[in-house]
Each structure stands twice: as structure tokens, then as C-alpha cells.
Amino acid sequence: MSSAKFKKEFKDFDCARDFKLAHQVLCIQEFNFENESIVGYVDMLFHPLVPDLRKVKINCKQCSIHRVVVNGIWEADVSYNDPILEICQNDNKLRTFDYFQACHSAAVLAVDADSGNGELSVKLPDDFLPSILEMKPFHVMIEFSLERPQGGIKFVVPDTDGTLLDRGAHLFTCGRENSSRLWFPCIDCFSESCTWKLEFTVSMYMVAVSVGDLVETIYTSDLRRKTYHYYMSVPTAAPNIAVAVGPFEIFVDPNMHEVTHFCLPRLLPLLKHTTSFFHEVIEFYEETLSTRFPYTCYKQVFVDMAYSDIAPYASMTICSLYLLTNKRVIDQTPVTRQLLAQAVAQQFFGCFISMNSWCDAWLPKGLATYLCSHYRSKSFGNNALRYSIAKDMREVCDHEQQVGPVVLDPSVVRDVASYLPMKSPHTTSPIYSAIYEKKAHLIMRMLALKIGTVFMFQVLNKLLTLASNASKMKFSANAWSNMLISTSSFLKCISSVTGKDCGTFVEQWVHQGGVARFVGSFVFNRKRNVVEIELRQDWTAKGTMKYAGPLTIMIQELDGTFPHTFMIEENKTRFEITCHSKSRRQKKKKIPLSTNEEVEMNLDDTDPDSPVLWLRVDPEITILRHVKLEQPDFMWQYLLRYERCVTSQHEAICALEQFPTPKSRNALMTVIDDSKMFYLVRIDAAKCLTKVANAMAETWGGPPAMMSLFHKMFGSRACETIVRQNDFSNFQQYYVQKAIPVAMAGLRTVHNICPSDVSEFLLRLIEFNENSKNKFDDGYYRAALVDALAATVTPAVTPVTVTGYVPSSDCLATETKSVLEEVTLYMNMEKLLPCFHLAVTVSCLKAFSTLQLLGHLPPVPGIFKSYASEGHILSVRLAALEALVSYAATESSSEILTWLLDLVESDAEPFVRFRVIQMLTAKPPYSKRENSLMSAELQDRLWNMMNSKFAYDSRLRCAVVDLYFVLFGKSRPSIQSSEDIMYDTPFVKSEDSRGSLHGKRRNYSPSLPYEMKVPDFSSEVKVESSYQNEDENVMKLKLHIGGPGSAHSGSSRSSSPAKFPFIHQPFGGPSFSLIEEARKYPVNVPFSSSDVQQSPSYSIDSSDAVPKAAMEVIVKDDARDEDNSLELSESSHSFLSAPSSPEYDPHDFERSSSPKPQPSRKLFGSSAFPFATEPPGLRLGPSALGSSISSPMPAFVSSTSSWLPSLSSSAVSEFTGPTGSGLSEPRLSVSGNFRDKAGDLQMKPERKRKRSTSGSRPLNLSSYRASSSDSSGSSPTFHRESSPDDLI
């Protein structure tokens, strides 16, 4: 099935439902932590929009529905359908990526609330229909329960001793967008808002935190339980409803009493420090937007095992407790503040103003991040904001050029190279989602620059004002429409405020993906005093677009900075700029910069005939672009030294990597040493200097790069070679002090080893590290020193000629041994004096992994498996898991890969499961060229994960889809899974119109959507794949007949490979039975006696328990009907020509004599059935058949000494199926012994067809199951089983 038919245009709609939800009551009457269950009910108030309303579709997953009552009187009938539980339902024949994508989109659409669908369909009672005709509102009450949920709500119950209070047991809701259906029935979409009343009954020592205002708390008479009553007066969508229950400690913000913070026991001191700044965020947003906070209160809950760092809901945010920090930690503070500020911004855009549909998700995401960026600029500086914008733009450009375009609004159908659908949060890749949010912010910032920042905030103010007025209105059909935002409504608001039409901008950057890619160069024309610029667009590359519009080019001349704006057109690539300055006449001169400051420059390195110092393209990042500008190295050096724009400085640093000269080295060292430079630019310069120094290794003179700088900046005044005591009061200097040792560790000599001076320098830093008088923690600094030590290690030179060599610590070089000793010491010291988030342990684990990967330590994954297990802090687990992923990739360890996938399926922490899949996606365990770990089991397991295993966690399911795509691509893998064995392609139509196989004019299988022809019987039978299923106690093989191009075939006829039916072998049984099954497409095999004979026989070699039998389909004539059911060639060639065998003589095939002694034959090298590897080919041969058999069936033997005889039509007796309306016992037997001169049984065409009796009935093998034969070797008896057709 092609996915093209699912590419439909998603149009905006006011309401796809025949009703509107006005109010909803959610009451959870019991939270049971022991059983991980909840019990409650919902009461939903609906207003019908049409008089013929008969059904109400509601979203509800994994909940048990006990009763549905309409208006408190009538019990309603309900039906449940959730196609997302299994995306491809038994369609194993079409196991391709495109088919999964199409089915996934269709399944999500079938339960999409925006389309008026849902999993739960409530049929309104007939007695209630008169009220619907009068358009009266009605209530639907649903009683439900939920036990051991797999998603939507998370129970955290630590496995320790003590009561639930002592263990800190708690729960909270979680999930991606539109995941509220996982824990209570609702209309799970952002376009359906209503008011809410929420009631939660909990134990006395628990606290229930939810959205809205806390109205009252009612205690029971025995004071053992209490009920929290919340009311949300602001219309809110169900995805923005949440609850958290636990023994939380409560902290009311002293500077803003409307804000309350909650944390787990014994974390209150961290909570107070972490949230001490929080009131400033809300005050800044209110001042910037000129409006009040949209809710009357705000709550923050910090929980363990959070689904993500922040999860914003209406008037509430659930945060990870790992965001908590103390006043001594530097590194975590900016991260926490940015995330908490982002959560507050999403209260305005995302919770209060919601998206109209998922195609409009770019608006709330982009607006919230744009608002948060202004707080980041205020709190961390404009340079930090501009640097992050440039970084995000590089990530977006790299993703689009490598993967494909990112479309913000996919409502307009376009050809987008994406392997996952983008029109629903449940089908969007997590990788795509992360890039999507960054691009939404960049496009929103570009739009603000286009219309003006002041006008942009006026637009936001109008949106919030309209939404605030709408939230105070009483319910009506469209009363709350202004609380939803769509692309069209946003453009209308911009037009009304600014008078500008941004339709072209949206069409270019929102409705289509891609980035602009420019390649430019310039020369100075001295005679005309102009700069001739050639700027070409490359829109043929992947992920690029054809840009048409303004572009700013800024030239720094001797007399100042001059911007020039050009219109980029399709056929215009050359531009001329007249210079304002003349060529220089003095060597030094004060040059005015773009910041209006004057700096004195040494112009010795410049071109004396040119007044141009450097050139910048789009310095303000007004478009999403990738620019490759060719300039001389001295221009990049001047730009890096004197330009004040951090984004331009970063571009200059990247360009200087291509110019490893002494002048580039001096420019980089000057930047590192300049404390006035932005610290991130200095860090980039240190990294670039490492690459430049390595390229200049042969000509480098003096001490290693940056060593003298570090001694100068951080060395003791008495002795610069000894670092002074730590003083991290200057945060920018602290980050530089951390970065320089790591950059120095990357230095290499001409022999590609780290200089010994660098190793000794790093060891001295660790030895003389002193933090006793520092008021800040040095845990992250020590972790950086451990990272630097690990970076000095180079690949080990091992004696590869020695068989069985295993690296050992006794054979390490002196420098490497010192590294190992220091890392081990730090690891042990961390257990006694742990630092914040165990940062040193994380670095030590990475160092051990590096030593193993480089061959200095034996590859033993045990230490990483122990640290990756549950019970360790999240950062340590992730570091250990990353090491295991690297181990699985480098060592091709199927055991570790299986262990990681087991953890993905069973780990208690959702974020860990998700991160493991992301790690495997970023570093696959094998490449497509080197696929030593590729197996049918792996493909089968990943397919089951994304098909049905993770039906309640769409983020994890889509992450597995990413991994599957990386490993196998969009095409069907060359390997075949176990499911393919059971549901491979059976016979279907041919182009001829002669008689059918069963002698009647009926189609073989009219429901099958695929075709296949049976080729000439002159090819080799091979085992395509095998599967061992211990649960069913059977072994399954899939055999196929190759095309007619074999060495023994003289036919030139072309046909597709045919498939043999599969064989089931019970473990330990005396025989095997033939079973042909089908799930979605029942395989009807209507055999008649005159056409087809099936002849199974059995023989077991007791020495190795290998079945000496097989199943063949013997056709007596070339029979086809007008429906072209099956085409059989009238070839006189042998069924299989037998090559000579050194072990067996074809003439030994005698029915009446005992078999000759034969060696033990192990199937695929094993005495049982461990199908660990797929055999290259397996033939069927007649050797070593027992004397008690009743038919000349071949045995399973090895691929090097086996062959299959040919059977003549006269050697097969009739096969009689059930006749009339009754059932008889069909038997399979072969009479006589017919051989040719070579000892082969021949198949000869017979022109006379023997018709079956008129009362004969086609035999359906999908309804019959053959029993095992008895000890005498008699043919099996078929017993009929129930079939779905019998119920019709």
C-alpha cells in the first residue's frame, strides 16, 4: 500500500465534532500506590450542534470503563476501537517502512479528536433523542479505573524499606501533547476548551496539586483521608490538565504569594535557592507584554523520574528534581533558570492561548521561545542570546541539509522528504520535534525583525487581550475561539496592528521547508574603487530552497562600517559596491567600528591597494541561511580580533581552521587571552587553536599551545607553573579555565600522540587543585580535568599477530598508566566525597570507556552495566549507557545490544528508555555495510516495539521508528523475520486464463493484493530464513524455489520466486505436522484429488534429533482456470536435478530396504534447533530415509551433501478432500516406486485431467491442522478448526 493516498490536505476547521464541550468534572476517588491504580469518574457537559446527533466519540486509552450514564438516567452502550495499539495488524506481508508510515497516519487519524474521532464511542439512548432534537445540553458520566498504566501517569514507588511516606512515593501525569486520554476520558485536543472542576481524594499525609484554584480541602471524619477541590475558571483544553500527588513540601514564594513551589521531602533548601529568582521572570513578562499573568495562581512541582525536564500545564508545571541546585554550583544554575523561564513563557502561549490544530503548533512554540529569549537577553546578556541563535541556526541548517526540510505548517501538501508523518504529535520523530521547535523560534524572530520588535510585542499584547476577554465570557459555540491561534488568525492580527501583509513571508518560510544556501566571493577593483561580489545560490542540494528577497552585506572599510542591502533574484548573482574609503597610506590608523567605537589597528597584513578590511553577509541573521564566503586569511583574523559581533567572530574562528599559519595562531591566542571577549568565543578559539596547532605540528616551536596562557591567567604569582587556589567568582573566567585543559588534551605531535608536557601539565593541575577557600563547588571543574586526561589517550599499539591477546593494565605505557591511576583514584574518592550530580563519576565512566575503546583495557562491559542499572542517579546511568552503546558498536556485541533493548522495554524511568534509543540512533550498533549484528530477531524486535509494544508512549515509539530507519532504511530489509515465515506470499493470479489448480473456476485468494507466479520446477530449494519459537514449541522454516536460471534448467522463461509452504517441527516430538496459516488474508488452498498431491513423511535420527522429512507439493498436471489462479509449467525437466554427493548414492533410495549407515547430521551446525544464523542455502535430499516410511520424502541434510529427487505424476496417489456438506479424513499417501535411470523420481506431464467428483469441496488448509503420524508412519489426519468464514 502506498503512502501517497494518505497525503491529504489538512484544512482548518472550526469544529469537526457535532457537539461542543462546555464543562467537565474529573473526580479521582482513590490513588493506590501498591497496585499503581486509580479509580474515578468524569462528568462531561455537551451542547449538541446538530439535531441528529446519535453518537459521542471520546478519547480514552488503557482505562477500564465500568459504566456510562447519560443525564444520570440512561445507561448508554459504548464501543471501543484503538487502532494505535497495533499499527500494522497482521499485515506482515507488507512489512515495509512506507506501509508502516501510511498505517500509522491512518490509525492516528482514526482516533484524532480534531477530526471528530475517538477511541470510545458512546451511543445515545433512543429515549434521549427527543432532547437532542430540541438541542438541549446533556451530561455524560463515565466511571473508569486504571491499573498499572504504561503511559500518561507515572507512579514512583522506590523499592526500599519503610512506609510510602518514608520512601517518598508520589505520582504525576506525563506524556507528549494530546496524552491526557491515557489517564482519564476526555476530548483530547487543544481546540476543545472548557471549564473544569477537579476533585482528588488522597491519604492524609499526601498532597494533591492540580491546575486551577484550590477552592477547599475536605477531611474525612476519621482524619485518614482528604479531598482537594480545584476549579479552573479559564477555559482549558484537556491536554493542559495535570495532577501530582505525593508527600510534597510546600514553599510559597516570599516575593509573589500567588506562586507556590512543591518538592519531595528533604529537598526544601534546594528548592528555596532554585526558585529565589522566580518572581523576576513573571514580572519581566508582565512588563514586556503589558498584560497580567493569565492565571490567578501558579504552581511548580519537582518530581523524580520526570518524563522531561519541564512539562507545562495550565497554571502548573511539573519539573524534574534534577533542576534543583544550590548556591555553590555554577554550571546547573543557568540551565535551570532558562528552563523555568521557558515554562512560564509557555503559560502565555501554549496553555492560555492554544494551537487550533497540530499544523499550527509552530505558533505557540515559537512565540513562547521568542518571549523567553528576551528574558535570557536580560538575565545572561545579549551576546549569550545571539550566540545561542547562531548555534540553533547551524543545527537547523545541518539537519535540513542532511535529513530533509522541516515544514512548520504542513497543512499545505508538499513533497517533503520525511520518513515520518508530521501532522500529529503521535507520529512526529523526537529528532524532528527538537529541530522543529528551534526553527519555529528562528522564524518567529525573523518575523519580528521584519515588522519590528515594538510592533511584535503589540501583536502579542492584542492576542493576549482578546484571549483574556474571551475567557471571561459565558459558554457559546464560538465564544472562546479567540483563545485559539492559527496561522491565518495570526496573520490577520499582524495586519490589523501593523498594516503589513506577511503572507509572502509565511508562504516562503512556514509553508515550505529548507534553508537558503549561499556561496560567495569578492574582489576589489582599484580603478573603479568598487567591490565586485559574486553571490550564488545552491538550491539543488538537499534541504535547500530558492530564496528571493533582501539580503544585507556589511563591509568594514578604513573609514567605517557600511551596510548594503540587495534584492536577491533568480538570475542575478553579481553585485557591485562602491567603497567610501581610499586605499591606506599609513600603517596604523584608528578605525571606526559598527559599535561607534574607534580602535587602533596595525594594517601591515592588509592589501595596501584595498580599503576593505572584512566583509559580512547577513550579520543580523534576518534569514535562515548557510553562507560560505571566501575571504583572505588576514580578513578573518582582523574580523576575529576587532569585530564585536559574537556570531561573526564564531564564523571567523570556523574559517581560520582552514588557515593553519602563525598569524592565525597569534590571532587565536590573542582572543583567548582577552578577558573582554565573550567567554564562549574564547572557548571556541581554544578549540580552534588545537586544530591549528596539530596542523602545524612539524613547524610548531616553543611550549605546547595554550600552556603559557593558562599559566599566565591562572598560575600562582610566586610560581606560574603551579596553579593558584581556585577562585570561581568570575564566571566567565571559570568557564575558560575549564575549557583550556580539555582543548590542550587534543594536541598531537607529528606521530599523532599527545605531547608528554601536556600530560604532565594536566597531572599537575589535578595534584595541585585546591578548593578549600573557594565559595563555589569545583566538582564540574574536576570532571573537566578527568575529561582532559581521557582525551590525551591515543589508540594503543597492540601485538595483533599474537593470537588471543587481551589488553591488560600491566602492559600500559607510563602516561596511560598514570591516567588510569588518577581516574581510578577520582572514582573511589567520589564514593567518599560525592560532588553535585556525581559529575566526576560521569567523567570517570567516560574515561574508562575511552581506555577500553582505544585498546588499553580489556573490553569488559560489567562496570557499565552495574552503573546503568536502576538505583543510580540519572546522569551516571546515562553515562554508563552511552559507554555500553559505544561498546556494542565497536565490539559488535549482540549480547550488549540485547541487554540495552531489554532495558528499553522494562526500565522504570521513561526518560532513560527514551535516551537509550536516542543513543543507539546517534551511534548505531552497525552500519549498513558492516551488518554483523543484523538479524531477523533484531528487525523483528524493533518492528514489534514500534508496531505494538509502545502503544502508550508515542515519544518512545517514534524514537524506535528513528532507530529502525537508521538501521534498515525505508526499503524492506534483505533479511526476513520470523513473521515473514508464517505469512509469506502464497499463490495468486497469473496472466493465463486456463484451468485452476483445484479444477474449478474460482479465484485462489481474491482478497490478496499482491501477485506471484510459480516458476518452472527446475531450480534449487533453499531455506530463506528460520525461526525458533519456544512458546509455541515449534520450529518454522520458510523454503523458496529460485528462478529458472539455475544450472539444471534449460528454460529461459522468467518468473518470480515461488514460496513453499512452511514446516512446523515440534521440539522433541516423533514427527512434524504441516500447518498453513494466515491472519489478515486467509490462505484458501482448494486442492482436489486430480490436481495436487501432498506427501509428508517422517523419520527421526535419534543421534541428533533432526527431522528427516519434508513436505512437497506435487502437481499432476498443468491446471489453471479462467481466473488465472495458478500457473504451472509443463516442463519435462526434473523437479530438482541432483548433483553428485560424495556421501550418498542416488540409487540407494529404496523403499523396501533399510537405510545405509549415515553420519550424524546437525541442522545448521547444531544438534537441536538454535537457529542463530541464517543458513546460506538448504536443499532437500532423499538420503537416509527409514524403512517404515510410507512415501519417498527427502530429509533435511546439510547444504553440501544433499539433493532432492524429481517425482513423476504416476508416483502419487489421489488426495481426496471433504466432499459434500460433511467432513471426511483426507489422507496423503504415495504408491509405487518410480525411478528413472538415474534413480530420480520423475514428474511427467499428463494430458488427461482427472476431474474431481461434483460433490467435492475445496479444502482450506487454513482451517485444518495435521496431527502427528503414529509410529507406523501412516499419513496424518487433518482435523478442521473454526474459521472466521464459519461465522458469516
Side-chain angles (χ1 to χ4, degrees), residues 74-89:
W74 297 280
E75 290 198 9
D77 296 331
V78 296
S79 60
Y80 182 86
N81 178 38
D82 186 8
I84 298 182
L85 294 179
E86 187 176 1
I87 301 298
C88 301
Q89 300 180 4

PDB file of all heavy atoms in Angstrom, residues 74-89:
ATOM      1  N   TRP A  74     -30.111   7.307  31.838  1.00  0.00           N
ATOM      2  CA  TRP A  74     -29.992   6.237  30.848  1.00  0.00           C
ATOM      3  C   TRP A  74     -28.554   5.723  30.786  1.00  0.00           C
ATOM      4  O   TRP A  74     -27.606   6.504  30.680  1.00  0.00           O
ATOM      5  CB  TRP A  74     -30.400   6.738  29.462  1.00  0.00           C
ATOM      6  CG  TRP A  74     -31.825   7.157  29.369  1.00  0.00           C
ATOM      7  CD1 TRP A  74     -32.917   6.357  29.218  1.00  0.00           C
ATOM      8  CD2 TRP A  74     -32.310   8.511  29.414  1.00  0.00           C
ATOM      9  NE1 TRP A  74     -34.062   7.099  29.163  1.00  0.00           N
ATOM     10  CE2 TRP A  74     -33.726   8.440  29.282  1.00  0.00           C
ATOM     11  CE3 TRP A  74     -31.716   9.758  29.562  1.00  0.00           C
ATOM     12  CZ2 TRP A  74     -34.534   9.572  29.282  1.00  0.00           C
ATOM     13  CZ3 TRP A  74     -32.512  10.879  29.569  1.00  0.00           C
ATOM     14  CH2 TRP A  74     -33.893  10.788  29.429  1.00  0.00           C
ATOM     15  N   GLU A  75     -28.426   4.429  30.855  1.00  0.00           N
ATOM     16  CA  GLU A  75     -27.120   3.814  30.620  1.00  0.00           C
ATOM     17  C   GLU A  75     -26.931   3.623  29.124  1.00  0.00           C
ATOM     18  O   GLU A  75     -27.804   3.072  28.448  1.00  0.00           O
ATOM     19  CB  GLU A  75     -27.001   2.474  31.355  1.00  0.00           C
ATOM     20  CG  GLU A  75     -26.920   2.607  32.853  1.00  0.00           C
ATOM     21  CD  GLU A  75     -26.378   1.350  33.511  1.00  0.00           C
ATOM     22  OE1 GLU A  75     -25.923   0.461  32.748  1.00  0.00           O
ATOM     23  OE2 GLU A  75     -26.407   1.259  34.739  1.00  0.00           O
ATOM     24  N   ALA A  76     -25.803   4.057  28.640  1.00  0.00           N
ATOM     25  CA  ALA A  76     -25.550   4.056  27.204  1.00  0.00           C
ATOM     26  C   ALA A  76     -24.666   2.881  26.817  1.00  0.00           C
ATOM     27  O   ALA A  76     -23.852   2.391  27.610  1.00  0.00           O
ATOM     28  CB  ALA A  76     -24.901   5.370  26.784  1.00  0.00           C
ATOM     29  N   ASP A  77     -24.828   2.443  25.577  1.00  0.00           N
ATOM     30  CA  ASP A  77     -23.958   1.436  25.012  1.00  0.00           C
ATOM     31  C   ASP A  77     -22.693   2.109  24.477  1.00  0.00           C
ATOM     32  O   ASP A  77     -22.751   3.200  23.891  1.00  0.00           O
ATOM     33  CB  ASP A  77     -24.657   0.690  23.878  1.00  0.00           C
ATOM     34  CG  ASP A  77     -25.865  -0.092  24.377  1.00  0.00           C
ATOM     35  OD1 ASP A  77     -25.835  -0.502  25.544  1.00  0.00           O
ATOM     36  OD2 ASP A  77     -26.811  -0.273  23.595  1.00  0.00           O
ATOM     37  N   VAL A  78     -21.578   1.448  24.667  1.00  0.00           N
ATOM     38  CA  VAL A  78     -20.304   2.007  24.224  1.00  0.00           C
ATOM     39  C   VAL A  78     -19.565   0.966  23.389  1.00  0.00           C
ATOM     40  O   VAL A  78     -19.767  -0.243  23.547  1.00  0.00           O
ATOM     41  CB  VAL A  78     -19.416   2.442  25.415  1.00  0.00           C
ATOM     42  CG1 VAL A  78     -20.071   3.563  26.190  1.00  0.00           C
ATOM     43  CG2 VAL A  78     -19.103   1.270  26.315  1.00  0.00           C
ATOM     44  N   SER A  79     -18.759   1.435  22.503  1.00  0.00           N
ATOM     45  CA  SER A  79     -17.857   0.587  21.723  1.00  0.00           C
ATOM     46  C   SER A  79     -16.466   1.195  21.759  1.00  0.00           C
ATOM     47  O   SER A  79     -16.314   2.419  21.856  1.00  0.00           O
ATOM     48  CB  SER A  79     -18.343   0.446  20.277  1.00  0.00           C
ATOM     49  OG  SER A  79     -18.414   1.713  19.641  1.00  0.00           O
ATOM     50  N   TYR A  80     -15.476   0.343  21.675  1.00  0.00           N
ATOM     51  CA  TYR A  80     -14.092   0.794  21.807  1.00  0.00           C
ATOM     52  C   TYR A  80     -13.280   0.297  20.623  1.00  0.00           C
ATOM     53  O   TYR A  80     -13.362  -0.858  20.239  1.00  0.00           O
ATOM     54  CB  TYR A  80     -13.482   0.267  23.111  1.00  0.00           C
ATOM     55  CG  TYR A  80     -12.067   0.726  23.369  1.00  0.00           C
ATOM     56  CD1 TYR A  80     -11.819   1.938  23.986  1.00  0.00           C
ATOM     57  CD2 TYR A  80     -10.968  -0.052  22.983  1.00  0.00           C
ATOM     58  CE1 TYR A  80     -10.531   2.377  24.224  1.00  0.00           C
ATOM     59  CE2 TYR A  80      -9.678   0.379  23.211  1.00  0.00           C
ATOM     60  CZ  TYR A  80      -9.465   1.599  23.836  1.00  0.00           C
ATOM     61  OH  TYR A  80      -8.181   2.034  24.059  1.00  0.00           O
ATOM     62  N   ASN A  81     -12.506   1.204  20.051  1.00  0.00           N
ATOM     63  CA  ASN A  81     -11.634   0.845  18.933  1.00  0.00           C
ATOM     64  C   ASN A  81     -10.385   1.718  18.997  1.00  0.00           C
ATOM     65  O   ASN A  81     -10.483   2.948  18.971  1.00  0.00           O
ATOM     66  CB  ASN A  81     -12.341   1.044  17.594  1.00  0.00           C
ATOM     67  CG  ASN A  81     -11.437   0.719  16.418  1.00  0.00           C
ATOM     68  OD1 ASN A  81     -10.638  -0.220  16.476  1.00  0.00           O
ATOM     69  ND2 ASN A  81     -11.543   1.481  15.344  1.00  0.00           N
ATOM     70  N   ASP A  82      -9.244   1.078  19.099  1.00  0.00           N
ATOM     71  CA  ASP A  82      -7.980   1.809  19.179  1.00  0.00           C
ATOM     72  C   ASP A  82      -6.992   1.167  18.219  1.00  0.00           C
ATOM     73  O   ASP A  82      -6.255   0.245  18.578  1.00  0.00           O
ATOM     74  CB  ASP A  82      -7.439   1.796  20.607  1.00  0.00           C
ATOM     75  CG  ASP A  82      -6.204   2.666  20.747  1.00  0.00           C
ATOM     76  OD1 ASP A  82      -5.877   3.372  19.780  1.00  0.00           O
ATOM     77  OD2 ASP A  82      -5.567   2.646  21.824  1.00  0.00           O
ATOM     78  N   PRO A  83      -6.944   1.639  16.986  1.00  0.00           N
ATOM     79  CA  PRO A  83      -6.002   1.037  16.017  1.00  0.00           C
ATOM     80  C   PRO A  83      -4.546   1.327  16.325  1.00  0.00           C
ATOM     81  O   PRO A  83      -3.656   0.704  15.736  1.00  0.00           O
ATOM     82  CB  PRO A  83      -6.423   1.673  14.688  1.00  0.00           C
ATOM     83  CG  PRO A  83      -7.070   2.963  15.077  1.00  0.00           C
ATOM     84  CD  PRO A  83      -7.750   2.711  16.398  1.00  0.00           C
ATOM     85  N   ILE A  84      -4.280   2.254  17.245  1.00  0.00           N
ATOM     86  CA  ILE A  84      -2.890   2.578  17.565  1.00  0.00           C
ATOM     87  C   ILE A  84      -2.247   1.461  18.378  1.00  0.00           C
ATOM     88  O   ILE A  84      -1.019   1.360  18.431  1.00  0.00           O
ATOM     89  CB  ILE A  84      -2.822   3.925  18.317  1.00  0.00           C
ATOM     90  CG1 ILE A  84      -3.364   5.039  17.421  1.00  0.00           C
ATOM     91  CG2 ILE A  84      -1.411   4.270  18.739  1.00  0.00           C
ATOM     92  CD1 ILE A  84      -3.305   6.409  18.040  1.00  0.00           C
ATOM     93  N   LEU A  85      -3.053   0.612  19.010  1.00  0.00           N
ATOM     94  CA  LEU A  85      -2.472  -0.483  19.780  1.00  0.00           C
ATOM     95  C   LEU A  85      -1.614  -1.382  18.913  1.00  0.00           C
ATOM     96  O   LEU A  85      -0.591  -1.903  19.364  1.00  0.00           O
ATOM     97  CB  LEU A  85      -3.593  -1.293  20.446  1.00  0.00           C
ATOM     98  CG  LEU A  85      -4.402  -0.570  21.524  1.00  0.00           C
ATOM     99  CD1 LEU A  85      -5.480  -1.484  22.067  1.00  0.00           C
ATOM    100  CD2 LEU A  85      -3.498  -0.083  22.647  1.00  0.00           C
ATOM    101  N   GLU A  86      -2.004  -1.588  17.693  1.00  0.00           N
ATOM    102  CA  GLU A  86      -1.215  -2.361  16.747  1.00  0.00           C
ATOM    103  C   GLU A  86      -1.345  -1.691  15.388  1.00  0.00           C
ATOM    104  O   GLU A  86      -2.400  -1.744  14.760  1.00  0.00           O
ATOM    105  CB  GLU A  86      -1.679  -3.818  16.674  1.00  0.00           C
ATOM    106  CG  GLU A  86      -0.790  -4.694  15.833  1.00  0.00           C
ATOM    107  CD  GLU A  86      -1.212  -6.145  15.846  1.00  0.00           C
ATOM    108  OE1 GLU A  86      -2.225  -6.462  16.506  1.00  0.00           O
ATOM    109  OE2 GLU A  86      -0.547  -6.965  15.208  1.00  0.00           O
ATOM    110  N   ILE A  87      -0.282  -1.043  14.954  1.00  0.00           N
ATOM    111  CA  ILE A  87      -0.356  -0.226  13.747  1.00  0.00           C
ATOM    112  C   ILE A  87      -0.637  -1.089  12.525  1.00  0.00           C
ATOM    113  O   ILE A  87      -1.618  -0.896  11.822  1.00  0.00           O
ATOM    114  CB  ILE A  87       0.956   0.564  13.568  1.00  0.00           C
ATOM    115  CG1 ILE A  87       1.197   1.471  14.789  1.00  0.00           C
ATOM    116  CG2 ILE A  87       0.896   1.400  12.301  1.00  0.00           C
ATOM    117  CD1 ILE A  87       0.143   2.499  15.012  1.00  0.00           C
ATOM    118  N   CYS A  88       0.239  -2.029  12.259  1.00  0.00           N
ATOM    119  CA  CYS A  88       0.065  -2.942  11.127  1.00  0.00           C
ATOM    120  C   CYS A  88      -0.497  -4.246  11.669  1.00  0.00           C
ATOM    121  O   CYS A  88       0.248  -5.091  12.168  1.00  0.00           O
ATOM    122  CB  CYS A  88       1.389  -3.181  10.406  1.00  0.00           C
ATOM    123  SG  CYS A  88       2.144  -1.674   9.763  1.00  0.00           S
ATOM    124  N   GLN A  89      -1.773  -4.400  11.598  1.00  0.00           N
ATOM    125  CA  GLN A  89      -2.451  -5.533  12.220  1.00  0.00           C
ATOM    126  C   GLN A  89      -2.327  -6.757  11.316  1.00  0.00           C
ATOM    127  O   GLN A  89      -3.098  -6.935  10.382  1.00  0.00           O
ATOM    128  CB  GLN A  89      -3.908  -5.187  12.489  1.00  0.00           C
ATOM    129  CG  GLN A  89      -4.058  -3.992  13.430  1.00  0.00           C
ATOM    130  CD  GLN A  89      -5.499  -3.654  13.690  1.00  0.00           C
ATOM    131  OE1 GLN A  89      -6.401  -4.339  13.228  1.00  0.00           O
ATOM    132  NE2 GLN A  89      -5.735  -2.595  14.440  1.00  0.00           N
TER     133      GLN A  89
END
